[in-house]
Amino acid sequence: MAEVLDERHAVYVGSFDPPTLGHCDIITRGAGLFHRVTVGIGINPGKTPLFSSDERLELLREIVSPLENVEVACFEGLAVDFVRQCGASVMLRGMRTLTDIEAEFTLTLANRCLAPDIETVFLMASEQYTSISSTLIKQIAGMGRGESTEQLIEFVPESVVEPLLKKFRS
Ligand code: ADP
């Protein structure tokens, strides 16, 4: 019997190292569009993240706590497999720039080959968050040597500022 995937359930996958205001915007807007949103933190054993998977899980769980229809989980392996495991039929992604479009297009075509029954839905970044990336945030925090609260508050949720600064103090 063919499995039934829920088309009102979207899974938003990413590294979230760390979660940013851009990610939060996509999560909040996704939660308004779909009945249920699962935020999937991708664990890549080949990469050394700044925040461990447990730390990212804790940060994101706190961020989404006001949103009743959003949950957070970690996964290893292919994102489409995780979406299927969740019973969802939608993969949610954010889109910022032309460079994002090119990369996401390639990824989406590959995912479509792997899982034709899972649809990728893109939300354009809100204007004020277009230039925000986790990489940029780590650079700013690193350059300020753990002392740039005022700058960081423009880019990450308040609850992420202190854990981020702590990573660069010592
Ligand atoms: P990945 O390593 O999979 O790109 P990220 O955590 O960087 O993981 O991003 C996860 C998703 O969120 C991607 O679809 C990315 O394009 C999107 N995204 C990242 N930053 C923003 C932002 N500032 N505004 C909107 N979408 C974003």
Side-chain angles (χ1 to χ4, degrees):
M1 200 170 80
E3 67 194 316
V4 179
L5 298 176
D6 187 351
E7 62 202 18
R8 295 154 308 171
H9 182 181
V11 179
Y12 179 41
V13 295
S15 309
F16 308 106
D17 185 37
T20 71
L21 289 178
H23 294 135
C24 295
D25 180 54
I26 299 293
I27 295 169
T28 309
R29 288 161 58 200
L33 287 169
F34 294 94
H35 283 197
R36 190 171 163 201
V37 172
T38 303
V39 180
I41 306 169
I43 311 297
N44 182 346
K47 275 192 189 169
T48 310
L50 181 64
F51 287 92
S52 70
S53 50
D54 283 347
E55 287 171 327
R56 282 177 279 163
L57 191 64
E58 198 182 319
L59 288 173
L60 276 162
R61 283 204 170 135
E62 189 181 334
I63 290 165
V64 306
S65 59
L67 301 167
E68 273 179 13
N69 58 342
V70 181
E71 70 221 333
V72 189
C74 291
F75 72 95
E76 266 186 61
L78 290 174
V80 281
D81 289 343
F82 178 65
V83 177
R84 190 181 298 287
Q85 270 167 33
C86 292
S89 78
V90 177
M91 167 131 62
L92 183 65
R93 299 285 289 174
M95 187 85 95
R96 286 160 295 186
T97 56
L98 277 179
T99 324
D100 264 2
I101 292 178
E102 211 173 338
E104 295 286 345
F105 189 64
T106 314
L107 204 63
T108 303
L109 290 181
N111 283 336
R112 192 174 290 161
C113 270
L114 294 166
D117 51 345
I118 291 172
E119 198 67 71
T120 305
V121 170
F122 294 98
L123 292 182
M124 284 307 296
S126 296
E127 207 178 348
Q128 68 269 40
Y129 304 131
T130 311
S131 56
I132 300 181
S133 70
S134 298
T135 307
L136 173 75
I137 284 159
K138 282 181 272 196
Q139 282 169 355
I140 295 170
M143 281 189 262
R145 298 202 182 139
E147 295 304 333
S148 42
T149 310
E150 304 80 35
Q151 287 103 315
L152 289 174
I153 203 73
E154 306 278 330
F155 304 113
V156 295
E158 219 178 315
S159 56
V160 176
V161 173
E162 193 45 40
L164 184 56
L165 292 177
K166 229 168 139 187
K167 292 280 177 193
F168 293 96
R169 279 192 202 120
S170 67

